[in-house]
Amino acid sequence: MKNFLIFSLIIISVSCCKPVDPPPPTPSTTGNLRVSFIANFNGQPFVLDDLYNATFNYRIKSETLKFLVHHIYAKKSSGDSTEINQHMYVNFSNTSNAFTVAMAPGTYSGIKFGLGVDGSLNHSDPSLLPPSHSFSINQANDMFWTWATGYIFTKYEGRADTTGTLSGPTEQLFFFHTGADTLFREIDLAQNFSINLDQTTTVYIDLDVNKLLNGTNDTINLKIDNGTHTMGNLPLASRFVALLSKAFSIHL
Amino acid sequence: MIVQKIKISLRKKYFFPVVFCFVLISACQREPDPYFDDHYTLNIPNGFPTPFIPDDNQLTRSRIELGKRIFFDTRLSVDNTISCGSCHFPQQAFSDVTAKSLGVQGRVGLRNAPPLFNLAWVNSFMRDGGVPTLELQVLAPIADHNEMDFNIVLAADRIKDDPYYKKQSQRAYGRVLDPYVITRAIAAFERILVSGNSVYDKYLRGEVNLTTSELNGKNLFFSSALNCSSCHSGFNFTNLQFENNGLYTVYADSGRARVTQQISDNGKFRVSSLRNIAITSPYMFDGSIATLDAVIDHYASGGSSHPNKNPLITGFSLTAQEKTDLINFLNTLTDTEFINNPSFRPN
């Protein structure tokens, strides 16, 4: 009896340590949403280091274009929204800037996301985030102000031909490094889409790079305003962020 | 009798299961953290308050040793030429002898490299106070284009397989050397750079006497006529505030305003500690004043006009002897034990 009890206890103890058997497969109840950040230049396919004609008859060669995205939501027409990704580092040096998430089937009315890093995380220590986190020092090590704690939300760099002849040398360097709590923006884009059972729906968040310098209400002349690290020229950083936040569109 | 037998029977019956359960539970208990076995106790000088040491980076000998090794490792820079110690010399109280230090490819730094000591009592870092922790401060020179111009992730990849780092990183932090380890280890080393044993400290403890000239200088320093000690106050001879000392009428470097974006902070920089001041020339945030003699001349003149200038800087006059006395007093703030400490030197 005693041995039986001991044996039983051992068996029970060992059993407790074993992983729980996976449940039997259940029928799928979700579809997939793929969200892809892409870019164009005034309707043309955008490629880094290619030359594009821009306003003022300038030619622009974009060499770096990247930004941090915090909290991406799929919206419903009822006003409800579901967070589909907490953090993303969009870098157009990469071949793709997309993610896929399983979602309940249904009809959705758009996507919204934070451009930058919100105040809850903006002043944290990036080396404390797990390497899998898009804002960790392992992934976003070049998107952090090192002289003042906080993230660089956006980096747009390149060279321009500002002769106005469309044939001059691309000698004018430009850089827009923006990042401050006051420059965090929420982008809200309307586009109806459906998620169907076991199917993948792709939604494109499309950035018109031409609009980064040439918007409806403002135009940045690279001959005059060609660089900001935010704190050194906050007015220009604010103008750039205003243009950037109006440069996104959404389509299927 | 029957009751006694039942009790014995029950004891036998449950003895092994109980022992087994105890063994199981014991096995589940956390092991003592091996990374704190070599805890390092910071030697806090008399009169110093309790230092701030973050919970996730308590001082241990392994961490300090690792941090020192990384501090002096030039592989942190893009071209393997610049280490932290390239601009922070132990014999200069971990400051540089040039106005602005040279980084990779001879690039000139933004500001004068500050001395490093008593950092466990500082609440923000850089001359404009933009960085809140010593751990985060480590990122700045590594990434700065004019200093190391590198990337801490690549730096970690470069050195993590070094046999010493491989072993010591595990011993100190229980993980492979990565950006977390680099920032923590260097900060741990920097926190033990305690300077509190100058001639003046010994004088305060009654161990030595000051000369007549030094005592006269002391009286001048603490006088309301000069107001030195209004800002250079406390155990560390700094109030840790940000002040505009009238160095310029127009500042090319906005100082604290870069962080706060407040016009009222334009041209303000952290008040420097005066400990070891005699060996940390050149002076000011940009290293623009070469000698203590010239620094006193600056304050005696009242400085340049600026809307943010500290109103206490109004100028004063000193005789030649008084100036000498004041400098002699400032010389008593040098901690030779600190600057000659072999444990702060590269191995």
Side-chain angles (χ1 to χ4, degrees), chain B residues 281-342:
Chain B
S281 64
Y283 305 105
M284 306 298 165
F285 74 90
D286 55 358
S288 58
I289 300 185
T291 64
L292 279 179
D293 193 276
V295 170
I296 293 171
D297 287 345
H298 164 75
Y299 287 112
S301 74
S304 301
S305 176
H306 192 283
N308 296 335
K309 187 174 76 170
N310 187 309
L312 292 173
I313 300 173
T314 55
F316 52 78
S317 61
L318 292 177
T319 65
Q321 183 56 51
E322 286 172 330
K323 193 175 183 184
T324 301
D325 293 345
L326 185 56
I327 291 173
N328 285 341
F329 169 67
L330 293 173
N331 285 336
T332 70
L333 302 180
T334 301
D335 181 351
T336 52
E337 187 180 289
F338 171 68
I339 61 176
N340 294 319
N341 190 333

Side-chain angles (χ1 to χ4, degrees), chain B residues 12-257:
Chain B
K12 285 182 177 173
K13 183 178 175 182
Y14 290 115
F15 177 75
F16 284 108
V18 166
V19 167
F20 184 74
C21 287
F22 178 77
V23 169
L24 272 183
I25 291 166
S26 301
C28 293
Q29 280 183 340
R30 287 176 61 191
E31 290 286 326
D33 189 340
Y35 313 117
F36 291 94
D37 280 357
D38 57 349
H39 179 76
Y40 178 93
T41 303
L42 199 61
N43 185 19
I44 303 172
N46 286 344
F48 280 41
T50 305
F52 172 72
I53 299 170
D55 289 341
D56 72 345
N57 199 20
Q58 291 292 299
L59 297 177
T60 69
R61 293 185 186 284
S62 338
R63 289 173 179 179
I64 293 160
E65 274 306 308
L66 176 63
K68 184 171 84 168
R69 185 73 76 100
I70 303 173
F71 185 92
F72 291 107
D73 194 330
T74 56
R75 287 177 291 176
L76 290 191
S77 62
V78 68
D79 59 1
N80 296 296
T81 58
I82 301 290
S83 73
C84 308
S86 301
C87 305
H88 296 281
F89 302 114
Q91 62 273 28
Q92 309 298 136
F94 289 88
S95 66
D96 201 351
V97 293
T98 58
K100 292 179 180 175
S101 305
L102 299 181
V104 295
Q105 298 176 5
R107 295 177 196 150
V108 181
L110 177 68
R111 295 171 182 156
N112 178 250
L116 306 179
F117 53 78
N118 301 341
L119 299 174
W121 290 271
V122 176
N123 52 11
S124 65
F125 299 87
M126 314 293 271
R127 289 191 182 270
D128 54 23
V131 179
T133 71
L134 202 46
E135 281 75 7
L136 278 172
Q137 194 282 329
V138 171
L139 298 174
I142 295 174
D144 192 302
H145 176 71
N146 291 341
E147 297 184 44
M148 296 179 183
D149 195 24
F150 205 26
N151 171 320
I152 195 169
V153 177
L154 298 179
D157 283 345
R158 183 186 277 176
I159 64 176
K160 71 178 175 16
D161 292 327
D162 175 303
Y164 171 82
Y165 287 137
K166 213 169 181 175
K167 185 177 168 189
Q168 192 73 357
S169 183
Q170 286 293 344
R171 181 182 290 167
Y173 292 98
R175 59 199 284 172
V176 172
L177 189 140
D178 62 4
Y180 178 93
V181 171
I182 292 177
T183 55
R184 266 67 194 168
I186 290 179
F189 170 61
E190 290 178 333
R191 280 199 181 90
I192 69 156
L193 304 177
V194 177
S195 176
N197 202 23
S198 65
V199 172
Y200 183 65
D201 293 304
K202 291 173 184 168
Y203 161 77
L204 290 179
R205 297 198 298 263
E207 296 167 13
V208 298
N209 293 318
L210 297 185
T211 65
T212 303
S213 174
E214 290 164 348
L215 284 170
N216 288 340
K218 168 182 168 286
N219 291 336
L220 284 166
F221 181 85
F222 288 105
S223 72
S224 57
L226 269 63
N227 278 322
C228 307
S229 60
S230 295
C231 297
H232 296 286
S233 57
F235 73 99
N236 209 21
F237 289 85
T238 169
N239 59 8
L240 293 178
Q241 299 300 304
F242 300 92
E243 300 289 354
N244 179 316
N245 67 356
L247 192 60
Y248 300 112
T249 304
V250 177
Y251 282 78
D253 183 339
S254 61
R256 179 72 175 160

Side-chain angles (χ1 to χ4, degrees), chain A residues 13 125 127 137 141 148-149 231, chain B residues 24 130 132 151 153 184 258 261:
Chain A
S13 302
D125 182 343
S127 68
I137 200 162
N141 60 74
T149 305
M231 290 310 191
Chain B
L24 272 183
N151 171 320
V153 177
R184 266 67 194 168
R258 181 169 79 153
Q261 287 296 298

Side-chain angles (χ1 to χ4, degrees), chain A residues 95-117:
Chain A
T95 50
S96 171
N97 290 285
F99 67 91
T100 301
V101 61
M103 291 183 67
T107 304
Y108 294 83
S109 61
I111 299 285
K112 65 177 181 179
F113 58 90
L115 186 60
V117 180

